[in-house]
Amino acid sequence: MYESGRIIIRRLPHNGDLVNEITELARREGITTGTVSAIGAVKRARIGYYDQDARLYRERDLEEPREICSCLGNISLKEGEVFVHAHVVLADGEGKTAGGHLCPGTIIFAAECRIEELRGCPLERGYDDETGLALWVERE
Ligand code: ZN
């Protein structure tokens, strides 16, 4: 069970790396569990798709500027460190969208970010054998 904590609204820096900037913001604010959303635009992007059979992320680069139609994610702890997991939907100049797992290498043109802190037992990730992913560890 979690309770809503602080809500942080922040503009992220031009030319910053989207997932890294969100992670840094959460770290600076001491937020270990929470939710994230952002809108804005990117100069380029790197998005991933988890290949469930091969159990690995297939990443691809989108070289053109795009709108961030949606960036949604969460904050938890992975190996004791603040970890942001986020997905994006990005639109090109014709409104065509591409989306996936947000990877480092997505460069901000402009971004407005909202982080909501969740207060309670810190949410932690651990290796999940069924999926090969670092998923939230269930607690009793
Ligand atoms: Zn993902």
Side-chain angles (χ1 to χ4, degrees), residues 15-95:
N15 285 332
D17 186 294
L18 185 55
V19 71
N20 292 344
E21 292 292 343
I22 297 169
T23 304
E24 260 316 298
L25 178 55
R27 231 180 244 146
R28 278 200 307 273
E29 296 291 340
I31 295 174
T32 58
T33 304
T35 58
V36 174
S37 63
I39 56 169
V42 295
K43 291 176 145 184
R44 64 182 309 283
R46 188 164 178 83
I47 56 176
Y49 168 88
Y50 189 67
D51 183 325
Q52 297 175 12
D53 294 323
R55 291 180 158 226
L56 51 82
Y57 278 99
R58 301 203 184 278
E59 298 183 358
R60 68 191 180 104
D61 290 301
L62 306 172
E63 302 292 349
E64 330 75 49
R66 289 173 188 252
E67 294 291 311
I68 306 169
C69 299
S70 176
C71 174
L72 290 177
N74 54 63
I75 300 161
S76 56
L77 292 172
K78 186 177 171 187
E79 292 165 0
E81 298 286 326
V82 172
F83 179 79
V84 171
H85 180 206
H87 286 195
V88 286
V89 178
L90 302 167
D92 68 13
E94 295 181 335

Side-chain angles (χ1 to χ4, degrees), residues 71-127:
C71 174
L72 290 177
N74 54 63
I75 300 161
S76 56
L77 292 172
K78 186 177 171 187
E79 292 165 0
E81 298 286 326
V82 172
F83 179 79
V84 171
H85 180 206
H87 286 195
V88 286
V89 178
L90 302 167
D92 68 13
E94 295 181 335
K96 289 188 183 138
T97 56
H101 180 93
L102 176 64
C103 299
T106 299
I107 306 303
I108 298 165
F109 181 74
E112 298 167 343
C113 177
R114 177 190 191 277
I115 292 179
E116 181 169 354
E117 177 184 35
L118 294 174
R119 292 193 172 133
C121 191
L123 199 50
E124 288 187 56
R125 292 180 180 275
Y127 180 76

